[in-house]
Amino acid sequence: RLKPFNRLQVILQHLKMSKHTDSTAEVLLEKRGGAGIITLNRPKALNTLTISMIRQIYPQIKTWEQDPETFLIIIKGTGGKAFCAGGDIKVISDAGKVGDRLIQYFFREEYTLNNAIGTCKKPYVALIDGITMGGGVGLSVHGHFRVATEKTLFAMPETAIGLFPDVGGGYFLPRLSGKIGYYLALTGFRLKGRDVQKAGIATHFVESEKLSALEEDLIALKFPSIESIAEVLNSYHEKSKIDQEKAFVLDEHMEKINSIFSANSMEEIVKKLKQDGSAFAMKQLETINKMSPTSLKMTLRQLREGASMSLQDVLTMEYRLSQACMRGHDFYEGVRAVLTDKDQFPRWKPAALEEVSDEFVDDCFKPLGNNDLKL
């Protein structure tokens, strides 16, 4: 039997947890066995990330990291459609239009959370079932394990809304094999299912219907370690038969991707696509022509520089870029065209790559002095 004091502690702990397991809460935080479990709970909004969710998840990760009774952290989404479709971009756009400070602290706190995941001392397992884009990638890709399913849809579509692949995209994208990361960042190409694992974004592939059994097996581990968690994940991965024989979707194009996307400038990439002239190259050209020219130039430089930087330095750089986008025109226009009016016809300023000067791009990367992100 529990001593009275211990019993009180247990009750208080339970109350604290049950407050968060209220089904209407945006994020559910619970402890099961030795596992801390984060559940993104905005299914109608495809679990898009709000500032209040960030403010609940970050301190909880930090607490669990210090807790000797917590051995692993699992993050997942509710609703069956999405792990997390990104940050709540519309809210940020509305805030930026009226000069609200949310445009500073949202990115600051989101990137601080991305860094906490990237440096987490406890094994961190993200179950990326369904749509995983933008901010959802930031919540998963920097952890030890990412489990994709046949329902996973991965993309970094930011250049289409006048942003750039942030949340540490400058760190993980250039580290993917060949120039896949550059291709994904500039075109917003969507990877599905097993291809997310074949590209090196997910560490494992497990059938969606097996995820709850996988979760139970992870929770049941007595003293989970990176090795014992990897063993469980490997055994599920090996038993997954869906699309096992299918070649990686980009296999046949990898040679072209590696040669074209290794160019030093956006203008050169466009030139190489035109020279190539294949159906694949023309399709990429058509896609790139729809993106914000400013975003494209910013993104190419972000990845080229991020390739040799630490995650912390990348996030500091990306915070500078986020604030440049908030000061600019294209982000608000992109959100209008894609998310608000949905006319899919953004009027970018400048409208052509040639008009985005090197000086302007340099300016986006400049330190912000006292306002820089400090990690």
Side-chain angles (χ1 to χ4, degrees):
R1 283 195 33 201
L2 290 168
K3 290 189 185 133
F5 177 67
N6 283 6
R7 192 184 303 147
L8 182 64
Q9 268 190 317
V10 169
I11 291 167
L12 285 172
Q13 183 63 17
H14 180 70
L15 282 173
K16 204 166 129 193
M17 285 297 175
S18 61
K19 180 180 88 197
H20 287 311
T21 46
D22 158 20
S23 62
T24 58
E26 293 184 320
V27 58
L28 313 176
L29 303 164
E30 56 183 321
K31 185 83 188 297
R32 290 181 56 202
I37 299 170
I38 302 164
T39 308
L40 310 174
N41 190 38
R42 300 182 71 214
K44 288 195 178 78
L46 300 175
N47 298 324
T48 48
L49 194 59
T50 64
I51 188 76
S52 70
M53 290 163 81
I54 293 168
R55 286 176 176 173
Q56 291 171 68
I57 296 168
Y58 175 77
Q60 188 63 76
I61 287 178
K62 287 299 188 193
T63 303
W64 282 334
E65 199 175 18
Q66 299 303 317
D67 174 26
E69 302 295 305
T70 304
F71 300 100
L72 91 142
I73 297 171
I74 297 172
I75 186 167
K76 59 183 181 172
T78 52
K81 277 193 181 166
F83 165 66
C84 170
D88 206 336
I89 290 296
K90 232 160 145 275
V91 169
I92 297 163
S93 169
D94 293 344
K97 282 191 223 156
V98 297
D100 190 300
R101 293 205 36 218
L102 177 70
I103 59 172
Q104 286 144 24
Y105 54 73
F106 182 90
F107 291 102
R108 190 181 289 277
E109 294 179 40
E110 183 183 25
Y111 298 175
T112 304
L113 171 57
N114 300 147
N115 184 54
I117 293 165
T119 56
C120 189
K121 293 183 181 61
K122 299 286 165 80
Y124 184 96
V125 182
L127 306 177
I128 54 170
D129 191 27
I131 300 165
T132 304
M133 296 185 184
V137 176
L139 288 177
S140 53
V141 79
H142 304 298
H144 301 93
F145 301 107
R146 285 88 60 193
V147 182
T149 74
E150 73 279 7
K151 291 178 4 190
T152 304
L153 179 62
F154 165 95
M156 294 300 274
E158 289 81 2
T159 54
I161 54 161
L163 262 179
F164 58 97
D166 65 336
V167 297
Y171 182 79
F172 84 88
L173 288 163
R175 285 167 172 77
L176 297 176
S177 68
K179 294 290 170 187
I180 290 181
Y182 290 78
Y183 171 69
L184 295 173
L186 296 167
T187 66
F189 183 80
R190 297 175 168 204
L191 289 171
K192 298 186 178 98
R194 208 178 266 273
D195 286 331
V196 179
Q197 185 256 324
K198 288 185 174 157
I201 293 152
T203 55
H204 295 81
F205 177 87
V206 174
E207 275 113 346
S208 183
E209 61 178 43
K210 300 271 169 42
L211 284 184
S212 50
L214 168 63
E215 195 182 324
E216 292 309 322
D217 282 352
L218 290 173
I219 292 165
L221 286 169
K222 279 287 167 269
F223 296 103
S225 62
I226 294 278
E227 294 71 30
S228 63
I229 291 165
E231 262 174 50
V232 173
L233 292 173
N234 292 343
S235 73
Y236 273 83
H237 175 82
E238 279 150 21
K239 287 186 200 120
S240 294
K241 296 285 178 269
I242 298 179
D243 293 339
Q244 211 173 16
E245 305 307 315
K246 259 172 85 177
F248 177 49
V249 66
L250 295 173
D251 259 357
E252 54 179 316
H253 307 298
M254 272 325 293
E255 215 174 300
K256 279 193 200 316
I257 288 172
N258 290 341
S259 116
I260 292 167
F261 288 86
S262 59
N264 295 331
S265 69
M266 272 318 299
E267 287 89 344
E268 206 181 321
I269 289 175
V270 167
K271 192 173 138 198
K272 283 183 159 194
L273 286 168
K274 284 178 179 162
Q275 280 169 346
D276 182 281
S278 66
F280 173 76
M282 291 299 102
K283 202 172 161 206
Q284 308 321 309
L285 193 58
E286 194 187 327
T287 300
I288 281 172
N289 282 334
K290 289 181 185 152
M291 304 304 190
S292 153
T294 303
S295 290
L296 289 168
K297 286 206 165 174
M298 205 185 256
T299 299
L300 183 60
R301 177 158 162 193
Q302 170 207 2
L303 266 59
R304 286 171 60 90
E305 295 202 2
S308 58
M309 288 163 104
S310 68
L311 176 60
Q312 291 70 37
D313 288 343
V314 165
L315 290 165
T316 301
M317 166 179 76
E318 290 180 358
Y319 182 71
R320 293 168 186 168
L321 297 179
S322 78
Q323 298 310 295
C325 290
M326 296 303 111
R327 292 193 300 268
H329 164 274
D330 280 8
F331 169 63
Y332 303 102
E333 175 57 15
V335 171
R336 181 205 66 74
V338 176
L339 300 173
T340 314
D341 300 347
K342 297 188 165 77
D343 59 22
Q344 311 301 329
F345 192 71
R347 294 165 184 83
W348 305 123
K349 284 183 193 166
L353 284 169
E354 297 70 37
E355 294 164 23
V356 183
S357 71
D358 290 345
E359 293 74 41
F360 177 81
V361 178
D362 288 345
D363 208 44
C364 297
F365 283 80
K366 280 200 179 122
L368 300 171
N370 287 337
N371 293 323
D372 251 336
L373 174 66
K374 295 170 188 68
L375 292 169

